[in-house]
Amino acid sequence: MATPIPLFVVVVVVLLLLSSSSIVAQSDQPVPFIYNGFNQSNLKFVRPTVLKASVLKPSGALRLTDKTQKVIGRAFYPHPIPFHLNTSSSSSNPNKTISSFSTHFVFQIVPSGSSRGGHGLAFTISPAMEFPGAEAGHYLGILNATNNNKSSNHLFAVEFDTVNGFNDEYDGEGNHVGVNINTMSSDVKEMAFYYVDGSDNKEEVTLESGDPIQAWVDYDGSNQVLNVTISPISKPKPIRPLISKDIDLSPVLLENMYVGFSAATGNKSSAHYILGWSFGLNGAAPPLNLSKLPVVPVEKKSSRFKPEIKAILGALSVVVVILVAALLIVMAYRRRLNFENLEEWELDCPHRFKYKDLHVATKGFKESELLGTGGFGAVYKGALPITGEEIAVKKIMSNNSVHGMREFAAEIECLGRLRHKNLVNLQGWCKRKNDLLLVYDYIPNGSLDSLLYHPKNGFVLNWEQRFHIIKGIAAGLVYLHEEWAQVVVHRDVKSSNVLIDGEMNGRLGDFGLARLYDHGTISQTTNVVGTIGYIAPELAQTGKASTSSDVFAYGVLLLEVACGRGPIVDHPERGRVILVDWVIERLQTGGMVDVVDPNLGPGYAVEEMELVLGLGLLCSNPKAEARPSMREILRYLNGDDLLPGIDKLESAICARQVQETMARFFISRDGVTTSSSIGQISSSSFEAGR
């Protein structure tokens, strides 16, 4: 007969069984949980061969990846989470089969250097903690090309993506938040931002800013609504979520699932950190204590060199620094010597301007500041940044480097030392690489030809102003030919090179073609340059410029001023003819009134007009020896001497010799003299030698 078991033993056994059952039940209810840092955590690190995720000591930050390229890092809560409800608990709502859940975490993405990093991290719910064959880069260490978009994955993820262009099917812009079901193609995604105070106003959040960012993922199992919210760590949880989507997770989530994080890098890389994490079922996740979260340490680059190699490199670095410093000192010294070793003409007046000052003065050589263009470059209006003084800056075109340098040197050499009230004043110059710049006084009223042929607002130069201008140019040419240390032959006297200042004085400019020679010698210049209509016959035949060839051009200028016509005139029968021919023909067939600029009306002094026309014809005599000098011309204009043999204009035509011997010449672009009737010249704007 069996011995009866004492009652107290039965009681003890029952109590032990109940206790054991209670312990098992407690271990099966692992949530809610909270980690304010991960020093004492029991996280499970899934360790692919490409990287170990780890907790940094002593900070307690969970680092999923460092800044190595093409690596993966994962960390999971070690216990499975029961997401399916039992029948009794869901009887009140038969559609509710999945528990509500909520998670709150703080992450930090620190890109490599100053460039954009990659690729991002994801909060995941998955059947297992391992993802066999998962790829780095855009797959974030979760899926691969083979299993992507398969329902058997049973994967739920919220991605925080920082790299553009996975491909058109899977991804859009970087810096976005997406909800993924079994695939890396987000069912819904939004650019990373948060709503301010529940309004429609939103602020962007840069995921890879290197600053901590809060994230909340909340799922309402009863209503099957998923909300995803983010904000900077300094802001509380926004009232309005970033993403709110109706979604049924019952086909996705199995009865027991694992929650965790996965991150990956690719050709672009970032360090991905989780600073704190909490999770709860059927209720809000426990709030994190933000003040207790770890601070990500500043990562120091480890040296790959041994101490002895470091020492050698350090010594070499010192030597290199010394050599570079010495080289810079020598270069600066030589530059200073070169700068201070100025020629005499540089010491007189012109000085070097800084390129940046001229660039600022002309507003970057802006098109609106352009005053005009010439054979070699453009002229811009400007104002010096310090004084505000108005200037004109001639920028010589770099694509004419040979001619440009020649012009640059000529103008510097001439204008650098010339000073006369009827010459354009050169203030200074600048050379920068291929940019050649000359700085002049700004002449407000523009060129004489524009005032004669294109007057603005009905303004017409009256005769008194015209007579004053031509006298001033004559005085300037006297200075060039006789009064300066050397003879200066301008070689391009014409109305477009005469500028009119604020007091209506004529000032001769553009010395780019000028040539110098000593007094008492003969010019050796042999190339033909100038403008058709102003070129003296002997210059066309021999190529030798002289003061007399300047006188010829000045004579044409006198006729221009009196007649209001350019150096080439349209003839009703002969086409385009030289102005001198036209004036002679008109004077022979009519009278002075037929050649005078009609814009003047009767408002001119007849004697002065006769003088200017007669002097213009005398200066344009085809024989150089028959022309007066500029000093004689100035005396005629000032009334100090009478024009020889001219009591009336009719006797000033100097016989028909002028028309007959004006030459039958045409100067080609190469300076070759050919036989052609002047009456057949087809262009008045051709400039020989340019």
Side-chain angles (χ1 to χ4, degrees), residues 502-532:
E503 298 177 354
M504 301 306 292
N505 296 309
R507 299 174 67 172
L508 183 61
D510 199 343
F511 282 67
L513 301 179
R515 291 295 178 267
L516 288 76
Y517 59 92
D518 292 332
H519 289 283
T521 62
I522 299 176
S523 170
Q524 301 300 314
T525 304
T526 57
N527 60 317
V528 179
V529 296
T531 304
I532 287 294

Side-chain angles (χ1 to χ4, degrees), residues 347-361:
L347 298 174
D348 289 340
C349 287
H351 64 280
R352 287 180 175 93
F353 279 86
K354 293 181 180 179
Y355 181 83
K356 65 178 183 180
D357 289 342
L358 300 183
H359 192 270
V360 171

Side-chain angles (χ1 to χ4, degrees), residues 278-414:
S278 67
F279 185 91
L281 277 178
N282 299 312
L288 295 174
N289 188 336
L290 301 182
S291 64
K292 292 185 177 181
L293 297 186
V295 176
V296 172
V298 178
E299 296 185 11
K300 296 181 180 180
K301 295 182 179 180
S302 59
S303 175
R304 300 180 180 178
F305 302 108
K306 296 181 179 180
E308 48 273 27
I309 297 179
K310 286 184 180 180
I312 294 173
L313 291 175
L316 289 175
S317 299
V318 172
V319 172
V320 169
V321 170
I322 293 174
L323 290 176
V324 171
L327 179 62
L328 292 175
I329 292 173
V330 171
M331 290 176 63
Y333 180 70
R334 287 184 176 180
R335 185 176 179 182
R336 183 177 179 184
L337 287 180
N338 291 336
F339 186 84
E340 292 178 352
N341 187 21
L342 303 178
E343 297 180 25
E344 181 182 354
W345 60 267
E346 291 184 73
L347 298 174
D348 289 340
C349 287
H351 64 280
R352 287 180 175 93
F353 279 86
K354 293 181 180 179
Y355 181 83
K356 65 178 183 180
D357 289 342
L358 300 183
H359 192 270
V360 171
T362 58
K363 300 178 182 177
F365 299 100
K366 196 173 181 180
E367 192 73 18
S368 61
E369 304 304 304
L370 184 65
L371 295 175
T373 56
F376 291 104
V379 180
Y380 295 85
K381 180 182 178 181
L384 292 175
I386 297 178
T387 63
E389 179 185 359
E390 290 186 320
I391 56 173
V393 181
K394 182 177 183 181
K395 188 175 185 181
I396 298 175
M397 295 180 180
S398 58
N399 59 351
N400 273 325
S401 57
V402 175
H403 294 292
M405 284 300 295
R406 185 182 301 138
E407 182 191 56
F408 183 77
E411 295 211 33
I412 289 287
E413 186 175 2
C414 291

